[in-house]
Amino acid sequence: MRIDVVTIFPKMVRGPLEEGIVGRAIGRGLLDVRVHDLRDHTTDRHRVVDDVPFGGGPGMVLKPEPLFRAVDAIREEGGAPQAVILTSPDGARFSHEDAERLSRLPHVVVLCGRYEGVDERVRLHLATEELSIGDYVVSGGELPALVIVDAVARFVPGVVGDEDSVARDTFARGLLDFAQYTRPAEFRGMSVPPVLLSGHHAEIERWRRREALRRTLERRPDLLDGDRLEAEDRRLLQELLEQGEKGAQ
Ligand code: JFH
């Protein structure tokens, strides 16, 4: 899969892409991520990418020409991308499903805005979709672009070493993680739940499922609203709810 990122801060984007799972995937040729400096696509001596908003008001807006020229250059060199993503606080909320969908596309472009945003014509006639990573404002599109690249990369076959763990993330979606422990079994008086040391695999599985349900009920009851739970989970959840009523914890 190829991903082109267009930004005025290429170093801010390249650095994080060198590390961890994404860095390894690029090194192994599973992902081809190219980061472009938007200023390389200006035509004036001062490489200006922003301008004042028509109609007045505070702040600056990214000019359309450099962004259109950057995508033209990407098309000339790498062919037409299947998606041109604009990150913005006004976009649709980026989801697990978006990450999986985008990972099936051979070529995606991500445009990073800055200042107060981009000229509306970029939104209307260059971007094919506008995505937000959440309901808070960050200072530009670079961090959202990195979040999207990372989440998409995890769905590209071979990127996450353990294929099962990606499948588990999908399967368990709708439930939060169970608590995890590693050695030592006792640390500063804090011990690991004995069932995890028991070697009883069926019991460990039941405990983990129950813990995942408990945590979800406590922190994200909205996730349990649907009718997607299986019979065994419904039974465990019913038990947890009854215990809760008695005031146990
Ligand atoms: C970005 C920025 C807009 C003004 C809410 C009402 C008024 C600052 C490009 C995505 C998510 C972003 C994001 C993505 C791209 C850009 C900064 C934009 C306003 C804000 C102020 C510039 C921010 N999920 N959060 N932030 N900015 N708006």
Side-chain angles (χ1 to χ4, degrees):
M1 178 185 191
R2 170 168 166 166
I3 306 177
D4 290 271
V5 181
V6 179
T7 171
I8 62 167
F9 295 126
K11 283 185 287 183
M12 181 176 174
V13 177
R14 284 196 190 108
L17 293 174
E18 288 173 13
E19 308 290 338
I21 287 176
V22 170
R24 193 188 57 177
I26 293 170
R28 291 167 60 210
L30 294 169
L31 268 184
D32 177 12
V33 184
R34 303 183 190 201
V35 182
H36 309 266
D37 188 339
L38 183 63
R39 290 189 199 281
D40 291 343
H41 300 277
T42 54
T43 52
D44 64 304
R45 213 160 65 77
H46 296 105
R47 299 173 30 112
V48 174
V49 293
D50 61 323
D51 206 340
V52 295
F54 274 126
M60 301 293 274
V61 174
L62 269 190
K63 294 163 63 61
E65 304 96 314
L67 285 165
F68 275 82
R69 288 172 57 92
V71 175
D72 286 344
I74 290 166
R75 275 200 206 96
E76 272 158 35
E77 195 253 323
Q82 287 75 38
V84 178
I85 298 166
L86 178 66
T87 64
S88 114
D90 307 337
R93 177 81 60 87
F94 175 65
S95 68
H96 177 100
E97 285 76 16
D98 291 315
E100 190 160 16
R101 168 177 61 82
L102 294 169
S103 78
R104 298 188 210 282
L105 305 180
H107 186 192
V108 169
V109 173
V110 186
L111 306 176
C112 304
R114 271 277 152 178
Y115 314 108
E116 295 297 301
V118 305
D119 185 282
E120 186 68 12
R121 289 164 288 192
V122 170
R123 222 174 227 141
L124 295 175
H125 304 293
L126 186 60
T128 60
E129 54 192 296
E130 190 172 344
L131 296 173
S132 163
I133 58 162
D135 290 344
Y136 42 83
V137 179
V138 297
S139 303
E142 286 76 14
L143 293 172
L146 286 165
V147 167
I148 291 169
V149 169
D150 188 290
V152 168
R154 295 177 60 79
F155 285 107
V156 171
V159 167
V160 175
D162 176 12
E163 281 299 311
D164 289 355
S165 99
V166 181
R168 253 197 324 274
D169 286 347
T170 302
F171 177 71
R173 191 167 50 77
L175 281 196
L176 303 184
D177 268 344
F178 49 80
Q180 310 219 67
Y181 292 89
T182 185
R183 287 179 286 194
E186 174 108 18
F187 170 67
R188 298 191 178 183
M190 300 175 279
S191 51
V192 172
V195 61
L196 296 179
L197 311 175
S198 70
H200 249 281
H201 293 296
E203 257 183 64
I204 290 171
E205 278 317 299
R206 239 191 330 274
W207 182 87
R208 286 181 165 167
R209 198 73 195 164
R210 190 188 169 79
E211 282 301 302
L213 280 163
R214 183 205 297 284
R215 209 182 257 201
T216 309
L217 184 62
E218 214 170 273
R219 300 182 185 181
R220 293 291 307 277
D222 57 300
L223 294 178
L224 294 171
D225 282 349
D227 45 12
R228 294 183 303 161
L229 291 184
E230 336 170 2
E232 166 73 356
D233 287 343
R234 283 185 188 285
R235 202 182 57 70
L236 283 169
L237 184 59
Q238 196 56 44
E239 266 178 37
L240 289 168
L241 285 165
E242 280 160 17
Q243 280 176 24
E245 279 164 28
K246 284 184 226 145
Q249 205 59 260

